[in-house]
Amino acid sequence: MAYDDRFMSLAIELAKKGTGAVNPNPLVGAVIVKDGRVIGEGYHKKYGGLHAEREAFASLTEDCTGAEFYVTLEPCCHYGKQPPCTQAIIEHKIAHVYVGSSDPNPLVAGQGIKELEENGILVTSGVKKEDCDRLNPVFFHYITTKTPYVVMKYAMTLDGKIATKTGKSKWISNEASRQRVQEFRHELTGIMAGIGTVLADNPLLTTRLPNGRNPIRIICDSHLNIPLESRLVQTADEIPLFVAMLDKEKYILKDKISKLKEAGAQILYLPEKEGHTDLAALMKELGARGIDGLLLEGGGVLNESMLREGLVDEMRIFVAPKVFGGVSAKTPVTGCGIDEVTEAEEFTLSELERIGNDIYARYVKRR
Ligand SMILES: NC(=O)c1ccc[n+]([C@@H]2O[C@H](COP(=O)([O-])OP(=O)(O)OC[C@H]3O[C@@H](n4cnc5c(N)ncnc54)[C@H](OP(=O)(O)O)[C@@H]3O)[C@@H](O)[C@H]2O)c1
């Protein structure tokens, strides 16, 4: 039986509703169809809650024996926080399952589909695969690497500056673009910046969206220069703040460490690499703490280190129709840079949008 694109598109839209609430689980949507009519639909709403498949069965308006089932991700076949979804599909006597993405989770990885087929259910996989895959780059990366998927974000002028020569950066992009950034902060579990940005801008790095989720804030600060009176430290008892410093300085800086801990911050002790915190080690540490995705909000020195270490998976860039000029005005990626064009990290354009007079572009790492 041929599948109907509209039902998978509906499942994708449903999946998106879980944004910011399901991490480190994937976004998943499901639709049950009988005689060309939707008779049930659901999505994974919350980490630890029912999976999309069971949400869809719970919403059924009539018997679904012999129905078709559209699901954006291969159904799970193992016991986690919830029983296997394959079981629910088999018990409900579904005739045909249309699957979008395959699940790279080693506990699933084709086993879900195999189990359905072994129980006499027809399975068609790869339905609107590209669109379904686009829902879950964070999950696909985290489940296989146990380190966060890193999204570098910045706003720059037409001449590629992220601040004026006097260090002013408010505001480069327009209000609608900045609103989009609030959505990214809601979407990703963590947000990371360098101490240079903290000293220059005194940011809060929270989500200013109604019902938005605040990301866990991570500051790369080898020598613990973060001011106790900074807005980050002042809010650390309500909104998690991790400060990553050099392990070898923990005795010299013990008084400051105590004060930061008293304020509610957590300190991450890291090995040294090229005079700074070792970023690959930091990614492992953050992954171990359940941070599956990270919004990297620079500035240029930290951005360059992350790129040079091969730790950036995606770039989201806003270009505003302004020109700042000035040799000393900061650019999005500074640091020591590379020598040869062939050494450059390469990305593929995955989205391009006009937001008022700004341009928004999204690039994913070429693997
Ligand atoms: N327009 C935008 O989208 C945007 C976004 C962010 C920032 N900005 C602007 O960028 C400027 C700040 O940028 P910045 O380049 O001076 O500072 P930065 O990148 O925010 O911070 C750099 C500092 O981070 C620390 N760090 C710790 N571990 C590191 C590592 N492994 N690699 C690199 N650095 C590490 C280093 O100091 P220690 O080693 O001493 O800790 C380094 O000096 C501000 O003017 C801000 O307004 C603009």
Side-chain angles (χ1 to χ4, degrees):
M1 206 183 308
Y3 61 83
D4 190 326
D5 255 13
R6 286 173 307 157
F7 299 129
M8 190 58 93
S9 299
L10 173 59
I12 291 170
E13 288 315 306
L14 287 165
K16 288 180 188 166
K17 292 187 180 185
T19 301
V22 301
N23 310 73
N25 278 348
L27 294 172
V28 188
V31 172
I32 308 172
V33 177
K34 199 168 186 181
D35 305 325
R37 292 171 298 115
V38 174
I39 59 166
E41 57 178 50
Y43 65 97
H44 186 34
K45 289 183 178 151
K46 201 168 177 282
Y47 179 69
L50 285 185
H51 288 182
E53 293 89 330
R54 288 184 186 271
E55 284 281 356
F57 286 125
S59 79
L60 277 172
T61 51
E62 58 187 86
D63 177 59
C64 67
T65 303
E68 295 169 357
F69 196 94
Y70 287 78
V71 60
T72 55
L73 180 71
E74 176 180 1
C76 66
C77 51
H78 61 96
Y79 279 88
K81 288 217 168 342
Q82 295 293 334
C85 292
T86 44
Q87 223 174 58
I89 294 172
I90 295 162
E91 280 163 11
H92 281 86
K93 300 189 170 59
I94 292 294
H96 197 149
V97 177
Y98 296 99
V99 176
S101 305
S102 28
D103 188 344
N105 182 351
L107 295 172
V108 185
Q111 293 305 308
I113 290 174
K114 192 164 163 242
E115 190 182 330
L116 294 174
E117 287 175 337
E118 282 172 358
N119 282 275
I121 298 172
L122 268 173
V123 181
T124 305
S125 18
V127 177
K128 286 182 86 67
K129 181 176 166 23
E130 245 178 61
D131 294 337
C132 290
D133 283 354
R134 222 187 295 240
L135 288 169
N136 286 310
V138 170
F139 172 74
F140 295 153
H141 179 89
Y142 185 66
I143 198 77
T144 48
T145 64
K146 291 290 168 215
T147 61
Y149 181 84
V150 177
V151 176
M152 180 188 286
K153 164 265 150 189
Y154 55 82
M156 67 177 190
T157 60
L158 289 179
D159 55 333
K161 307 292 189 187
I162 61 165
T164 64
K165 65 178 184 191
T166 55
K168 309 278 182 337
S169 60
K170 286 190 173 88
W171 297 110
I172 291 174
S173 53
N174 66 35
E175 208 179 320
S177 297
R178 299 203 304 275
Q179 185 64 18
R180 187 68 64 88
V181 175
Q182 299 300 316
E183 289 167 20
F184 302 162
R185 290 180 177 185
H186 168 73
E187 169 195 340
L188 292 146
T189 309
I191 187 167
M192 187 164 96
I195 185 62
T197 298
V198 176
L199 297 175
D201 299 344
N202 193 16
L204 256 181
L205 304 178
T206 51
T207 308
R208 288 178 285 280
L209 279 186
N211 304 318
R213 172 186 64 162
N214 283 319
I216 295 169
R217 304 165 303 166
I218 301 120
I219 304 303
C220 292
D221 181 12
S222 315
H223 315 291
L224 231 47
N225 285 317
I226 189 166
L228 293 171
E229 61 282 3
S230 62
R231 299 207 294 162
L232 286 165
V233 176
Q234 292 295 315
T235 52
D237 54 348
E238 301 151 43
I239 308 156
L241 173 67
F242 293 174
V243 184
M245 65 171 287
L246 293 180
D247 180 65
K248 67 172 195 182
E249 298 199 358
K250 69 182 171 205
Y251 299 112
I252 318 165
L253 296 170
K254 64 178 193 313
D255 289 346
K256 179 97 180 247
I257 292 173
S258 303
K259 287 183 180 139
L260 284 169
K261 284 185 174 170
E262 261 168 47
Q266 293 188 52
I267 313 293
L268 309 180
Y269 304 99
L270 292 166
E272 181 174 344
K273 187 160 182 198
E274 295 168 2
H276 302 293
T277 50
D278 181 333
L279 295 171
L282 175 58
M283 291 305 112
K284 279 197 189 134
E285 178 70 38
L286 297 178
R289 288 165 183 259
I291 297 181
D292 58 346
L294 195 60
L295 187 64
L296 173 62
E297 290 212 19
V301 171
L302 183 62
N303 283 349
E304 196 267 348
S305 285
M306 287 290 286
L307 278 165
R308 198 155 30 83
E309 292 280 322
L311 295 171
V312 177
D313 300 291
E314 189 177 312
M315 313 258 271
R316 298 184 189 175
I317 295 160
F318 297 88
V319 183
K322 293 174 186 161
V323 179
F324 286 173
V327 181
S328 58
K330 294 210 159 121
T331 55
V333 183
T334 53
C336 58
I338 53 167
D339 293 323
E340 304 295 334
V341 174
T342 49
E343 292 168 31
E345 278 279 358
E346 290 197 52
F347 292 82
T348 303
L349 181 64
S350 78
E351 238 179 281
L352 188 61
E353 188 183 333
R354 181 181 173 151
I355 303 182
N357 278 324
D358 289 353
I359 289 172
Y360 167 60
R362 183 173 177 175
Y363 296 86
V364 291
K365 186 169 175 167
R366 209 176 277 178
R367 299 197 191 265

